[in-house]
Amino acid sequence: MKRVLLKLSGEALAGDKKTGFDEATCADAARQVKTLVDEGLQVAIVIGGGNFWRGRTSESMERTKADQIGMLATVMNCIYVSDAFKTAGMETEVYTPFVCGAFTELFSKDKAVKALDEGKVVFFAGGTGHPYFSTDTATALRAIEIEADAILLAKSIDGVYDSDPAVNENAVKYDSITMEEVLDQKLGVIDLTATIMCLENKMPLAVFGLNEENSIENLMKGEFNGTYVTV
């Protein structure tokens, strides 16, 4: 693969603290990505906002406002993690679909692809810029726009299961599954909109646990312990 979009779970970045950032987890993700960038892989990143805010669980707030707070949570995450990547020796750019003063660049496909071609790690923050769309949808959209070869889905769980392993101790993990099967079985790997976008645009996924040792590097070396979602 030449170009990938790595989706990092906000909850996974929080580590055992479950909120905010776990510095060691972020630094380790940066170390692994640098190894790949040094080998010539182009890496774009989307980060969820669940370590700060999960708007869909807020019943006392209007959905649009809750989603706007979630978008800002992803901006905070990308600014923090991009700085960790710079500390690890990489050049980065953070793009948002709305103006954030001097904090970020306004998203443009041409600018983002140019930055990737220059060897920079590109962060897509702020979701799609609209309510009612999750960071899953933003991940699928940006991956398709930049013509990535695959989406790497780094989560707090180590793959795709036939049921929730946190609830069912007998849940079975798939080594490989098709996007159609994900839809038919309503497995919720990514949200429905993102799943259909990936299916229509033939965008495969690799789902794995961020907190497993060297999980990002191992994926690219073919030493994969997660789930391939094929199209």
Side-chain angles (χ1 to χ4, degrees):
M1 291 187 283
K2 176 187 175 184
R3 179 182 297 159
V4 297
L5 195 151
L6 173 63
K7 165 72 185 299
L8 297 173
S9 158
E11 292 96 326
L13 287 177
D16 293 336
K17 296 190 302 181
K18 306 298 184 186
T19 187
F21 303 108
D22 180 74
E23 189 171 343
T25 300
C26 296
D28 187 63
R31 176 190 61 79
Q32 293 185 67
V33 171
K34 187 175 189 305
T35 300
L36 304 179
V37 171
D38 287 346
E39 292 175 355
L41 185 69
Q42 296 182 3
V43 181
I45 294 178
V46 170
I47 306 176
N51 53 327
F52 285 114
W53 182 258
R54 297 196 70 83
R56 295 189 180 192
T57 62
S58 178
E59 297 179 359
S60 61
M61 192 173 198
E62 195 241 334
R63 172 67 183 272
T64 298
K65 299 303 180 186
D67 283 0
Q68 288 170 346
I69 294 172
M71 291 177 216
L72 294 176
T74 71
V75 175
M76 291 192 295
N77 280 347
C78 285
I79 291 173
Y80 179 91
V81 177
S82 70
D83 189 71
F85 277 43
K86 286 179 180 177
T87 300
M90 289 170 279
E91 292 187 70
T92 66
E93 294 284 355
V94 180
Y95 293 97
T96 48
F98 43 78
V99 175
C100 282
F103 298 147
T104 66
E105 294 282 339
L106 192 61
F107 172 74
S108 155
K109 173 188 174 177
D110 292 341
K111 286 182 180 179
V113 169
K114 184 174 184 290
L116 288 166
D117 286 339
E118 292 171 349
K120 296 179 181 179
V121 177
V122 168
F123 289 80
F124 297 128
T128 66
H130 300 282
Y132 296 92
F133 294 98
S134 72
T135 50
D136 285 346
T137 305
T139 297
L141 174 63
R142 296 295 183 236
I144 293 162
E145 283 184 297
I146 65 171
E147 300 176 59
D149 296 307
I151 293 170
L152 315 183
L153 208 58
K155 307 184 75 168
S156 54
I157 187 172
D158 64 351
V160 179
Y161 288 77
D162 63 353
S163 58
D164 188 348
V167 176
N168 177 15
E169 62 180 17
N170 296 315
V172 176
K173 186 170 76 172
Y174 296 101
D175 292 326
S176 179
I177 189 170
T178 67
M179 202 72 72
E180 290 94 337
E181 289 171 327
V182 167
L183 276 171
D184 291 343
Q185 298 179 40
K186 300 179 181 178
L187 294 178
V189 179
I190 50 178
D191 69 31
L192 182 60
T193 303
T195 303
I196 292 172
M197 288 179 68
C198 287
L199 182 62
E200 289 181 341
N201 292 277
K202 302 188 185 310
M203 181 62 64
L205 306 177
V207 186
F208 61 101
L210 177 62
N211 295 316
E212 288 190 9
E213 186 176 2
N214 296 323
S215 58
I216 300 172
E217 284 185 89
N218 289 341
L219 166 60
M220 299 311 298
K221 292 176 181 176
E223 302 168 7
F224 186 51
N225 190 40
T227 304
Y228 289 111
V229 183
T230 58
V231 288

